[in-house]
Amino acid sequence: MIRSLWLAGAALVAFFAMTPAPAAAHDVGATLIVVSPAAGATVRLDVQIPLTSIDFAYDTALNDAPASSIAARDAWLRATLAAGAALTDPGGASWTVTVDSLAADQVQGLNTVHAQLTASPPAGAQPALLQFGWGTVTDIDYSHKVYVSEEAGGTTTLAGILTHYQPALTVQLHTPPAEPVSFATMLTTGFQHFREGTDHQLFLCLVALGAARRRQPRMTTLRRLGLLTLGFTIGHSISLALAMLGWVTLPSRWVETAIAATIAISAVHAARPTLPARAELAVTACFGLVHGFGFAGTLEGLALHGTTLIIPLIGFNLGLEMAQLAALALVAVPLWLIARSTAATVGLTTAVGAIAGSWILQRAFDTGNPVDRFVSSAVGTPERLALVLLAAGLLVHVRRRGSESPQVTPTAS
């Protein structure tokens, strides 16, 4: 039975590992870029980059005094932004990029540098398509994400997400898209967002570990995990809808810090689950509300409202749930084995709690986080996280089998 479970888990890991993904922890803030047509054949780029991300990538201290620091580093920032924007037409000819303005700004409570750039095609060219590449911050911080939106005819749509591992995409120029936002695009965006959110994945692992730690029959454990997952889903679906409808607006710093706090609290609970079943379900649903406000940050900047919000919201939510179920399938067997060992459980929850603590400090007080790169490289994707848990679960299983083996005592001759 155990061998069959291991083979099934290994097959799932191999299957999902066939689809490469960036090793990324959930960002405190991402770069936001809006691409829109300007005079003639030129293109305007409206760019917002969190100062904490620039400080982390380039070892600066812009966030300490945004306005004066940006003014003091004006030349360096202009050169960095111009070098980071790599625009070419379909034939490979490079566009000329100039930085028109720089200013200190805020997005969701985070200090940002707000830049206006103009990109001009080669002389005489008027391409309908643009190959858009971006390397500022992502050239150093592999976990950073860049959300690129297109603005045309008063409609803003998400063109795609850039990372270090996917540094370019194709943007259509000067013609409004046929559809505001497609269901398939938002389904993919939701799926990828959960895959790249290491904090969301760790929280889900702690929920599953806590359910397994109660040492109940397997079917009872599965039912309990199903209810907890459903409660989390309902919670984040409600808050995601509230945020996208504009009924509740919270600063990104508060939301991201609260998400890290839910992980720290869940780590303590998973080590020794003592809450009654109904209380645990209610707490998990409340934690889902917190994570939902974090999910909502992905859809900001799309100018969605009214009926145009319904289809993208459903698609994004379904994408999240598909990724959540896939992640559970990857980690369920390893976590069940780890839960059988108190020492392994304490070790895992302590490590996750320490990571959550570092995120709380980083997100609440804009401090550096030396463990981010290690976390991103070690458990930055569901596949890597599953492999780490698989190794830990296998070690627990081997040690338990060794301790349960009958001792052979020599007989007197």
Side-chain angles (χ1 to χ4, degrees):
M1 177 63 179
I2 293 295
R3 180 177 298 179
S4 299
L5 289 173
W6 278 116
L7 288 174
L12 281 169
V13 170
F15 174 79
F16 282 96
M18 291 173 64
T19 304
H26 186 65
D27 291 311
V28 175
T31 293
L32 306 176
I33 301 178
V34 178
V35 182
S36 56
T42 62
V43 170
R44 183 174 63 252
L45 307 178
D46 187 273
V47 182
Q48 294 269 12
I49 309 178
L51 295 184
T52 51
S53 299
I54 297 177
D55 290 345
F56 177 75
Y58 302 113
D59 196 25
T60 56
L62 303 180
N63 196 52
D64 295 341
S68 59
S69 297
I70 289 173
R73 302 295 295 269
D74 182 87
W76 174 79
L77 280 169
R78 289 175 182 268
T80 300
L81 292 173
L87 286 72
T88 59
D89 64 18
S94 297
W95 289 46
T96 301
V97 178
T98 58
V99 180
D100 302 323
S101 65
L102 291 175
D105 201 351
Q106 282 198 338
V107 174
Q108 287 190 317
L110 293 178
N111 294 322
T112 66
V113 57
H114 187 184
Q116 296 282 348
L117 287 70
T118 299
S120 305
Q126 287 189 324
L129 297 177
L130 167 67
Q131 187 71 9
F132 184 89
W134 188 262
T136 301
V137 177
T138 56
D139 59 342
I140 304 295
D141 184 358
Y142 292 5
S143 70
H144 191 73
K145 293 191 286 292
V146 181
Y147 292 89
V148 181
S149 299
E150 303 172 61
E151 191 279 323
T155 301
T156 302
T157 61
L158 181 66
I161 303 174
L162 300 181
T163 67
H164 175 83
Y165 299 89
Q166 185 178 339
L169 54 80
T170 300
V171 176
Q172 188 172 4
L173 298 176
H174 303 293
T175 55
E179 297 292 337
V181 179
S182 71
F183 177 84
T185 296
M186 297 314 299
L187 186 74
T188 302
T189 300
F191 189 91
Q192 193 66 18
H193 181 76
F194 190 89
R195 280 179 49 79
E196 295 173 354
T198 306
D199 47 5
H200 302 307
Q201 295 165 28
L202 290 179
F203 175 81
L204 190 65
C205 286
L206 292 172
V207 170
L209 181 63
R213 281 291 291 169
R214 292 184 180 270
R215 308 288 179 86
Q216 296 174 324
R218 291 178 187 176
M219 291 307 300
T220 302
T221 299
L222 288 175
R223 284 195 295 269
R224 187 179 190 85
L225 179 57
L227 283 174
L228 292 173
T229 305
L230 178 61
F232 178 72
T233 297
I234 292 173
H236 76 64
S237 298
I238 291 173
S239 55
L240 178 59
L242 291 175
M244 291 310 301
L245 288 169
W247 294 352
V248 178
T249 302
L250 298 175
S252 176
R253 183 195 301 267
W254 294 5
V255 172
E256 298 299 337
T257 303
I259 289 174
T262 66
I263 298 169
I265 295 170
S266 297
V268 175
H269 173 68
R272 189 179 180 184
T274 56
L275 282 178
R278 291 185 179 180
E280 184 181 33
L281 179 59
V283 170
T284 303
C286 289
F287 284 178
L289 289 170
V290 176
H291 284 246
F293 287 116
F295 294 146
T298 304
L299 303 183
E300 290 203 355
L302 297 185
L304 298 173
H305 59 274
T307 56
T308 64
L309 173 63
I310 299 174
I311 298 301
L313 190 59
I314 294 175
F316 186 76
N317 246 327
L318 285 177
L320 287 174
E321 300 323 308
M322 291 170 60
Q324 184 172 292
L325 292 174
L328 275 176
L330 286 174
V331 301
V333 172
L335 287 173
W336 176 71
L337 290 172
I338 290 172
R340 299 172 71 188
S341 167
T342 299
T345 299
V346 172
L348 176 60
T349 54
T350 299
V352 175
I355 293 171
S358 71
W359 282 337
I360 291 173
L361 293 174
Q362 178 189 27
R363 299 173 181 187
F365 304 106
D366 293 326
T367 62
N369 191 347
V371 305
D372 248 1
R373 292 185 182 180
F374 169 77
V375 173
S376 178
S377 60
V379 294
T381 66
E383 297 81 26
R384 296 181 187 184
L385 177 59
L387 286 172
V388 170
L389 294 175
L390 190 67
L394 181 59
L395 179 61
V396 169
H397 176 62
V398 170
R399 294 192 64 178
R400 284 178 61 87
R401 289 289 296 270
S403 63
E404 294 172 359
S405 297
Q407 300 295 321
V408 179
T409 56
T411 58
S413 57

mmCIF file of all heavy atoms in Angstrom, residues 233-278:
data_model
loop_
_atom_site.group_PDB
_atom_site.id
_atom_site.type_symbol
_atom_site.label_atom_id
_atom_site.label_comp_id
_atom_site.label_asym_id
_atom_site.label_seq_id
_atom_site.Cartn_x
_atom_site.Cartn_y
_atom_site.Cartn_z
ATOM 1 N N THR A 233 -11.719 28.179 0.545
ATOM 2 C CA THR A 233 -12.162 28.610 -0.778
ATOM 3 C C THR A 233 -13.301 29.623 -0.680
ATOM 4 O O THR A 233 -13.291 30.656 -1.365
ATOM 5 C CB THR A 233 -12.619 27.393 -1.606
ATOM 6 O OG1 THR A 233 -11.511 26.524 -1.801
ATOM 7 C CG2 THR A 233 -13.181 27.829 -2.950
ATOM 8 N N ILE A 234 -14.281 29.331 0.170
ATOM 9 C CA ILE A 234 -15.400 30.265 0.341
ATOM 10 C C ILE A 234 -14.895 31.601 0.864
ATOM 11 O O ILE A 234 -15.304 32.674 0.388
ATOM 12 C CB ILE A 234 -16.453 29.669 1.293
ATOM 13 C CG1 ILE A 234 -17.132 28.458 0.638
ATOM 14 C CG2 ILE A 234 -17.498 30.717 1.676
ATOM 15 C CD1 ILE A 234 -18.074 27.705 1.564
ATOM 16 N N GLY A 235 -13.984 31.541 1.831
ATOM 17 C CA GLY A 235 -13.454 32.778 2.403
ATOM 18 C C GLY A 235 -12.744 33.633 1.371
ATOM 19 O O GLY A 235 -13.041 34.839 1.241
ATOM 20 N N HIS A 236 -11.825 33.042 0.609
ATOM 21 C CA HIS A 236 -11.085 33.886 -0.337
ATOM 22 C C HIS A 236 -11.929 34.295 -1.535
ATOM 23 O O HIS A 236 -11.688 35.343 -2.141
ATOM 24 C CB HIS A 236 -9.757 33.228 -0.756
ATOM 25 C CG HIS A 236 -9.850 32.101 -1.735
ATOM 26 N ND1 HIS A 236 -10.304 32.246 -3.016
ATOM 27 C CD2 HIS A 236 -9.475 30.800 -1.628
ATOM 28 C CE1 HIS A 236 -10.220 31.100 -3.654
ATOM 29 N NE2 HIS A 236 -9.735 30.199 -2.830
ATOM 30 N N SER A 237 -12.961 33.522 -1.859
ATOM 31 C CA SER A 237 -13.859 33.921 -2.944
ATOM 32 C C SER A 237 -14.669 35.157 -2.555
ATOM 33 O O SER A 237 -14.875 36.069 -3.373
ATOM 34 C CB SER A 237 -14.802 32.772 -3.306
ATOM 35 O OG SER A 237 -14.095 31.650 -3.777
ATOM 36 N N ILE A 238 -15.117 35.199 -1.294
ATOM 37 C CA ILE A 238 -15.893 36.347 -0.818
ATOM 38 C C ILE A 238 -15.049 37.618 -0.816
ATOM 39 O O ILE A 238 -15.447 38.659 -1.346
ATOM 40 C CB ILE A 238 -16.457 36.069 0.590
ATOM 41 C CG1 ILE A 238 -17.540 34.980 0.524
ATOM 42 C CG2 ILE A 238 -17.025 37.350 1.205
ATOM 43 C CD1 ILE A 238 -18.027 34.533 1.888
ATOM 44 N N SER A 239 -13.858 37.542 -0.228
ATOM 45 C CA SER A 239 -13.030 38.744 -0.130
ATOM 46 C C SER A 239 -12.525 39.183 -1.499
ATOM 47 O O SER A 239 -12.387 40.386 -1.765
ATOM 48 C CB SER A 239 -11.853 38.512 0.824
ATOM 49 O OG SER A 239 -11.096 37.389 0.435
ATOM 50 N N LEU A 240 -12.246 38.231 -2.397
ATOM 51 C CA LEU A 240 -11.827 38.583 -3.754
ATOM 52 C C LEU A 240 -12.926 39.368 -4.462
ATOM 53 O O LEU A 240 -12.664 40.389 -5.116
ATOM 54 C CB LEU A 240 -11.480 37.315 -4.531
ATOM 55 C CG LEU A 240 -11.056 37.473 -5.995
ATOM 56 C CD1 LEU A 240 -9.836 38.365 -6.104
ATOM 57 C CD2 LEU A 240 -10.769 36.111 -6.617
ATOM 58 N N ALA A 241 -14.173 38.910 -4.317
ATOM 59 C CA ALA A 241 -15.298 39.617 -4.940
ATOM 60 C C ALA A 241 -15.485 41.001 -4.322
ATOM 61 O O ALA A 241 -15.707 41.995 -5.035
ATOM 62 C CB ALA A 241 -16.567 38.792 -4.799
ATOM 63 N N LEU A 242 -15.399 41.088 -2.993
ATOM 64 C CA LEU A 242 -15.568 42.381 -2.316
ATOM 65 C C LEU A 242 -14.513 43.384 -2.773
ATOM 66 O O LEU A 242 -14.812 44.563 -3.006
ATOM 67 C CB LEU A 242 -15.481 42.194 -0.798
ATOM 68 C CG LEU A 242 -16.636 41.441 -0.132
ATOM 69 C CD1 LEU A 242 -16.333 41.236 1.350
ATOM 70 C CD2 LEU A 242 -17.945 42.199 -0.304
ATOM 71 N N ALA A 243 -13.265 42.913 -2.900
ATOM 72 C CA ALA A 243 -12.189 43.805 -3.315
ATOM 73 C C ALA A 243 -12.358 44.251 -4.766
ATOM 74 O O ALA A 243 -12.181 45.426 -5.094
ATOM 75 C CB ALA A 243 -10.843 43.110 -3.133
ATOM 76 N N MET A 244 -12.740 43.318 -5.651
ATOM 77 C CA MET A 244 -12.876 43.666 -7.061
ATOM 78 C C MET A 244 -14.089 44.563 -7.328
ATOM 79 O O MET A 244 -14.086 45.361 -8.261
ATOM 80 C CB MET A 244 -12.977 42.387 -7.902
ATOM 81 C CG MET A 244 -11.681 41.589 -7.941
ATOM 82 S SD MET A 244 -10.251 42.611 -8.374
ATOM 83 C CE MET A 244 -10.741 43.223 -9.980
ATOM 84 N N LEU A 245 -15.127 44.434 -6.496
ATOM 85 C CA LEU A 245 -16.287 45.318 -6.629
ATOM 86 C C LEU A 245 -16.020 46.702 -6.043
ATOM 87 O O LEU A 245 -16.820 47.621 -6.213
ATOM 88 C CB LEU A 245 -17.504 44.687 -5.928
ATOM 89 C CG LEU A 245 -18.115 43.471 -6.629
ATOM 90 C CD1 LEU A 245 -19.124 42.788 -5.712
ATOM 91 C CD2 LEU A 245 -18.772 43.875 -7.945
ATOM 92 N N GLY A 246 -14.899 46.837 -5.350
ATOM 93 C CA GLY A 246 -14.554 48.120 -4.759
ATOM 94 C C GLY A 246 -15.234 48.395 -3.442
ATOM 95 O O GLY A 246 -15.172 49.518 -2.937
ATOM 96 N N TRP A 247 -15.884 47.391 -2.868
ATOM 97 C CA TRP A 247 -16.598 47.598 -1.611
ATOM 98 C C TRP A 247 -15.659 47.600 -0.412
ATOM 99 O O TRP A 247 -15.958 48.208 0.616
ATOM 100 C CB TRP A 247 -17.670 46.513 -1.437
ATOM 101 C CG TRP A 247 -18.768 46.597 -2.448
ATOM 102 C CD1 TRP A 247 -18.970 47.608 -3.359
ATOM 103 C CD2 TRP A 247 -19.814 45.651 -2.680
ATOM 104 N NE1 TRP A 247 -20.067 47.353 -4.134
ATOM 105 C CE2 TRP A 247 -20.612 46.147 -3.746
ATOM 106 C CE3 TRP A 247 -20.156 44.445 -2.092
ATOM 107 C CZ2 TRP A 247 -21.716 45.469 -4.223
ATOM 108 C CZ3 TRP A 247 -21.265 43.760 -2.579
ATOM 109 C CH2 TRP A 247 -22.039 44.270 -3.616
ATOM 110 N N VAL A 248 -14.535 46.908 -0.519
ATOM 111 C CA VAL A 248 -13.540 46.889 0.554
ATOM 112 C C VAL A 248 -12.167 47.117 -0.066
ATOM 113 O O VAL A 248 -11.787 46.411 -1.009
ATOM 114 C CB VAL A 248 -13.540 45.545 1.311
ATOM 115 C CG1 VAL A 248 -12.460 45.552 2.394
ATOM 116 C CG2 VAL A 248 -14.909 45.266 1.918
ATOM 117 N N THR A 249 -11.463 48.100 0.433
ATOM 118 C CA THR A 249 -10.116 48.400 -0.056
ATOM 119 C C THR A 249 -9.163 48.448 1.130
ATOM 120 O O THR A 249 -9.383 49.215 2.073
ATOM 121 C CB THR A 249 -10.076 49.742 -0.802
ATOM 122 O OG1 THR A 249 -11.007 49.700 -1.894
ATOM 123 C CG2 THR A 249 -8.681 50.011 -1.342
ATOM 124 N N LEU A 250 -8.147 47.628 1.086
ATOM 125 C CA LEU A 250 -7.164 47.564 2.159
ATOM 126 C C LEU A 250 -5.766 47.790 1.597
ATOM 127 O O LEU A 250 -5.472 47.356 0.480
ATOM 128 C CB LEU A 250 -7.209 46.193 2.859
ATOM 129 C CG LEU A 250 -8.520 45.823 3.562
ATOM 130 C CD1 LEU A 250 -8.437 44.391 4.094
ATOM 131 C CD2 LEU A 250 -8.804 46.793 4.707
ATOM 132 N N PRO A 251 -4.891 48.455 2.351
ATOM 133 C CA PRO A 251 -3.513 48.647 1.885
ATOM 134 C C PRO A 251 -2.813 47.307 1.682
ATOM 135 O O PRO A 251 -2.981 46.378 2.477
ATOM 136 C CB PRO A 251 -2.864 49.445 3.026
ATOM 137 C CG PRO A 251 -4.005 50.090 3.754
ATOM 138 C CD PRO A 251 -5.149 49.124 3.633
ATOM 139 N N SER A 252 -2.052 47.220 0.610
ATOM 140 C CA SER A 252 -1.359 45.975 0.289
ATOM 141 C C SER A 252 -0.436 45.536 1.423
ATOM 142 O O SER A 252 -0.317 44.347 1.707
ATOM 143 C CB SER A 252 -0.553 46.145 -0.992
ATOM 144 O OG SER A 252 0.198 44.991 -1.278
ATOM 145 N N ARG A 253 0.213 46.507 2.086
ATOM 146 C CA ARG A 253 1.125 46.156 3.178
ATOM 147 C C ARG A 253 0.389 45.411 4.290
ATOM 148 O O ARG A 253 0.884 44.420 4.829
ATOM 149 C CB ARG A 253 1.765 47.425 3.745
ATOM 150 C CG ARG A 253 2.794 47.160 4.846
ATOM 151 C CD ARG A 253 3.083 48.451 5.585
ATOM 152 N NE ARG A 253 3.592 49.469 4.690
ATOM 153 C CZ ARG A 253 4.885 49.688 4.463
ATOM 154 N NH1 ARG A 253 5.791 48.962 5.089
ATOM 155 N NH2 ARG A 253 5.281 50.635 3.640
ATOM 156 N N TRP A 254 -0.823 45.870 4.645
ATOM 157 C CA TRP A 254 -1.606 45.197 5.694
ATOM 158 C C TRP A 254 -1.974 43.786 5.266
ATOM 159 O O TRP A 254 -1.862 42.834 6.044
ATOM 160 C CB TRP A 254 -2.872 45.988 5.977
ATOM 161 C CG TRP A 254 -2.665 47.339 6.583
ATOM 162 C CD1 TRP A 254 -1.464 47.970 6.822
ATOM 163 C CD2 TRP A 254 -3.686 48.245 7.022
ATOM 164 N NE1 TRP A 254 -1.675 49.203 7.361
ATOM 165 C CE2 TRP A 254 -3.027 49.407 7.505
ATOM 166 C CE3 TRP A 254 -5.075 48.190 7.042
ATOM 167 C CZ2 TRP A 254 -3.724 50.494 8.004
ATOM 168 C CZ3 TRP A 254 -5.781 49.281 7.549
ATOM 169 C CH2 TRP A 254 -5.102 50.423 8.026
ATOM 170 N N VAL A 255 -2.434 43.672 4.008
ATOM 171 C CA VAL A 255 -2.896 42.369 3.522
ATOM 172 C C VAL A 255 -1.756 41.364 3.502
ATOM 173 O O VAL A 255 -1.884 40.236 4.002
ATOM 174 C CB VAL A 255 -3.520 42.515 2.123
ATOM 175 C CG1 VAL A 255 -3.830 41.143 1.534
ATOM 176 C CG2 VAL A 255 -4.786 43.366 2.184
ATOM 177 N N GLU A 256 -0.625 41.753 2.922
ATOM 178 C CA GLU A 256 0.489 40.815 2.789
ATOM 179 C C GLU A 256 1.069 40.441 4.155
ATOM 180 O O GLU A 256 1.477 39.296 4.375
ATOM 181 C CB GLU A 256 1.576 41.418 1.896
ATOM 182 C CG GLU A 256 1.118 41.713 0.470
ATOM 183 C CD GLU A 256 0.674 40.464 -0.266
ATOM 184 O OE1 GLU A 256 1.105 39.364 0.116
ATOM 185 O OE2 GLU A 256 -0.119 40.586 -1.215
ATOM 186 N N THR A 257 1.094 41.396 5.084
ATOM 187 C CA THR A 257 1.559 41.088 6.443
ATOM 188 C C THR A 257 0.594 40.134 7.129
ATOM 189 O O THR A 257 1.012 39.186 7.808
ATOM 190 C CB THR A 257 1.696 42.378 7.268
ATOM 191 O OG1 THR A 257 2.593 43.277 6.609
ATOM 192 C CG2 THR A 257 2.240 42.079 8.660
ATOM 193 N N ALA A 258 -0.701 40.364 6.943
ATOM 194 C CA ALA A 258 -1.705 39.484 7.551
ATOM 195 C C ALA A 258 -1.629 38.073 6.976
ATOM 196 O O ALA A 258 -1.819 37.086 7.699
ATOM 197 C CB ALA A 258 -3.105 40.063 7.349
ATOM 198 N N ILE A 259 -1.346 37.947 5.682
ATOM 199 C CA ILE A 259 -1.190 36.621 5.081
ATOM 200 C C ILE A 259 -0.041 35.876 5.743
ATOM 201 O O ILE A 259 -0.151 34.694 6.089
ATOM 202 C CB ILE A 259 -0.963 36.741 3.561
ATOM 203 C CG1 ILE A 259 -2.265 37.180 2.867
ATOM 204 C CG2 ILE A 259 -0.475 35.416 2.972
ATOM 205 C CD1 ILE A 259 -2.100 37.464 1.380
ATOM 206 N N ALA A 260 1.081 36.565 5.929
ATOM 207 C CA ALA A 260 2.217 35.932 6.605
ATOM 208 C C ALA A 260 1.854 35.539 8.041
ATOM 209 O O ALA A 260 2.281 34.484 8.535
ATOM 210 C CB ALA A 260 3.414 36.882 6.600
ATOM 211 N N ALA A 261 1.050 36.376 8.700
ATOM 212 C CA ALA A 261 0.634 36.060 10.072
ATOM 213 C C ALA A 261 -0.256 34.818 10.114
ATOM 214 O O ALA A 261 -0.154 34.004 11.041
ATOM 215 C CB ALA A 261 -0.093 37.255 10.686
ATOM 216 N N THR A 262 -1.127 34.642 9.113
ATOM 217 C CA THR A 262 -1.965 33.437 9.095
ATOM 218 C C THR A 262 -1.107 32.181 8.977
ATOM 219 O O THR A 262 -1.447 31.130 9.528
ATOM 220 C CB THR A 262 -2.969 33.473 7.927
ATOM 221 O OG1 THR A 262 -2.275 33.415 6.668
ATOM 222 C CG2 THR A 262 -3.835 34.705 7.981
ATOM 223 N N ILE A 263 0.005 32.278 8.264
ATOM 224 C CA ILE A 263 0.899 31.128 8.118
ATOM 225 C C ILE A 263 1.589 30.822 9.444
ATOM 226 O O ILE A 263 1.699 29.658 9.848
ATOM 227 C CB ILE A 263 1.934 31.399 7.013
ATOM 228 C CG1 ILE A 263 1.222 31.609 5.674
ATOM 229 C CG2 ILE A 263 2.940 30.251 6.903
ATOM 230 C CD1 ILE A 263 2.118 32.129 4.577
ATOM 231 N N ALA A 264 2.052 31.859 10.137
ATOM 232 C CA ALA A 264 2.707 31.652 11.424
ATOM 233 C C ALA A 264 1.744 31.019 12.429
ATOM 234 O O ALA A 264 2.109 30.076 13.156
ATOM 235 C CB ALA A 264 3.236 32.987 11.953
ATOM 236 N N ILE A 265 0.514 31.515 12.482
ATOM 237 C CA ILE A 265 -0.483 30.961 13.413
ATOM 238 C C ILE A 265 -0.817 29.518 13.034
ATOM 239 O O ILE A 265 -0.929 28.640 13.900
ATOM 240 C CB ILE A 265 -1.754 31.835 13.411
ATOM 241 C CG1 ILE A 265 -1.441 33.234 13.952
ATOM 242 C CG2 ILE A 265 -2.852 31.187 14.239
ATOM 243 C CD1 ILE A 265 -2.571 34.235 13.766
ATOM 244 N N SER A 266 -0.957 29.269 11.741
ATOM 245 C CA SER A 266 -1.283 27.917 11.288
ATOM 246 C C SER A 266 -0.157 26.940 11.572
ATOM 247 O O SER A 266 -0.403 25.750 11.801
ATOM 248 C CB SER A 266 -1.594 27.934 9.782
ATOM 249 O OG SER A 266 -2.723 28.731 9.517
ATOM 250 N N ALA A 267 1.081 27.416 11.559
ATOM 251 C CA ALA A 267 2.211 26.542 11.876
ATOM 252 C C ALA A 267 2.137 26.069 13.324
ATOM 253 O O ALA A 267 2.390 24.891 13.628
ATOM 254 C CB ALA A 267 3.529 27.281 11.617
ATOM 255 N N VAL A 268 1.772 26.982 14.227
ATOM 256 C CA VAL A 268 1.622 26.610 15.636
ATOM 257 C C VAL A 268 0.488 25.603 15.798
ATOM 258 O O VAL A 268 0.608 24.595 16.503
ATOM 259 C CB VAL A 268 1.360 27.865 16.496
ATOM 260 C CG1 VAL A 268 1.089 27.473 17.941
ATOM 261 C CG2 VAL A 268 2.544 28.816 16.417
ATOM 262 N N HIS A 269 -0.621 25.854 15.123
ATOM 263 C CA HIS A 269 -1.773 24.958 15.242
ATOM 264 C C HIS A 269 -1.485 23.584 14.647
ATOM 265 O O HIS A 269 -1.881 22.556 15.216
ATOM 266 C CB HIS A 269 -2.979 25.578 14.544
ATOM 267 C CG HIS A 269 -4.167 24.668 14.467
ATOM 268 N ND1 HIS A 269 -4.890 24.288 15.573
ATOM 269 C CD2 HIS A 269 -4.751 24.040 13.405
ATOM 270 C CE1 HIS A 269 -5.867 23.479 15.205
ATOM 271 N NE2 HIS A 269 -5.797 23.301 13.894
ATOM 272 N N ALA A 270 -0.785 23.544 13.494
ATOM 273 C CA ALA A 270 -0.512 22.265 12.838
ATOM 274 C C ALA A 270 0.379 21.376 13.694
ATOM 275 O O ALA A 270 0.265 20.143 13.649
ATOM 276 C CB ALA A 270 0.137 22.502 11.475
ATOM 277 N N ALA A 271 1.265 21.986 14.476
ATOM 278 C CA ALA A 271 2.145 21.188 15.330
ATOM 279 C C ALA A 271 1.346 20.444 16.393
ATOM 280 O O ALA A 271 1.672 19.301 16.755
ATOM 281 C CB ALA A 271 3.195 22.093 15.981
ATOM 282 N N ARG A 272 0.287 21.090 16.883
ATOM 283 C CA ARG A 272 -0.561 20.449 17.898
ATOM 284 C C ARG A 272 -1.986 20.950 17.738
ATOM 285 O O ARG A 272 -2.414 21.875 18.420
ATOM 286 C CB ARG A 272 -0.033 20.761 19.302
ATOM 287 C CG ARG A 272 -0.727 19.950 20.384
ATOM 288 C CD ARG A 272 -0.153 20.259 21.747
ATOM 289 N NE ARG A 272 -0.817 19.495 22.782
ATOM 290 C CZ ARG A 272 -0.572 19.628 24.094
ATOM 291 N NH1 ARG A 272 0.330 20.502 24.493
ATOM 292 N NH2 ARG A 272 -1.213 18.895 24.972
ATOM 293 N N PRO A 273 -2.752 20.354 16.820
ATOM 294 C CA PRO A 273 -4.116 20.819 16.574
ATOM 295 C C PRO A 273 -5.040 20.541 17.756
ATOM 296 O O PRO A 273 -5.308 19.394 18.091
ATOM 297 C CB PRO A 273 -4.555 20.022 15.341
ATOM 298 C CG PRO A 273 -3.507 19.015 15.076
ATOM 299 C CD PRO A 273 -2.372 19.227 15.999
ATOM 300 N N THR A 274 -5.488 21.598 18.394
ATOM 301 C CA THR A 274 -6.338 21.442 19.581
ATOM 302 C C THR A 274 -7.695 22.137 19.429
ATOM 303 O O THR A 274 -8.573 21.952 20.263
ATOM 304 C CB THR A 274 -5.634 22.019 20.822
ATOM 305 O OG1 THR A 274 -5.281 23.392 20.580
ATOM 306 C CG2 THR A 274 -4.371 21.225 21.138
ATOM 307 N N LEU A 275 -7.867 22.937 18.370
ATOM 308 C CA LEU A 275 -9.143 23.631 18.193
ATOM 309 C C LEU A 275 -10.256 22.634 17.888
ATOM 310 O O LEU A 275 -10.035 21.657 17.164
ATOM 311 C CB LEU A 275 -9.051 24.631 17.036
ATOM 312 C CG LEU A 275 -8.355 25.968 17.290
ATOM 313 C CD1 LEU A 275 -8.332 26.768 15.997
ATOM 314 C CD2 LEU A 275 -9.069 26.756 18.380
ATOM 315 N N PRO A 276 -11.445 22.860 18.418
ATOM 316 C CA PRO A 276 -12.587 22.026 18.025
ATOM 317 C C PRO A 276 -12.831 22.138 16.520
ATOM 318 O O PRO A 276 -12.438 23.110 15.884
ATOM 319 C CB PRO A 276 -13.756 22.625 18.825
ATOM 320 C CG PRO A 276 -13.110 23.362 19.952
ATOM 321 C CD PRO A 276 -11.804 23.862 19.442
ATOM 322 N N ALA A 277 -13.477 21.136 15.964
ATOM 323 C CA ALA A 277 -13.661 21.059 14.513
ATOM 324 C C ALA A 277 -14.328 22.309 13.944
ATOM 325 O O ALA A 277 -13.879 22.867 12.942
ATOM 326 C CB ALA A 277 -14.470 19.815 14.162
ATOM 327 N N ARG A 278 -15.423 22.766 14.579
ATOM 328 C CA ARG A 278 -16.136 23.925 14.052
ATOM 329 C C ARG A 278 -15.301 25.193 14.161
ATOM 330 O O ARG A 278 -15.310 26.037 13.250
ATOM 331 C CB ARG A 278 -17.463 24.096 14.790
ATOM 332 C CG ARG A 278 -18.485 22.996 14.487
ATOM 333 C CD ARG A 278 -19.821 23.275 15.151
ATOM 334 N NE ARG A 278 -20.797 22.241 14.849
ATOM 335 C CZ ARG A 278 -22.040 22.226 15.303
ATOM 336 N NH1 ARG A 278 -22.464 23.223 16.087
ATOM 337 N NH2 ARG A 278 -22.860 21.242 14.969
#
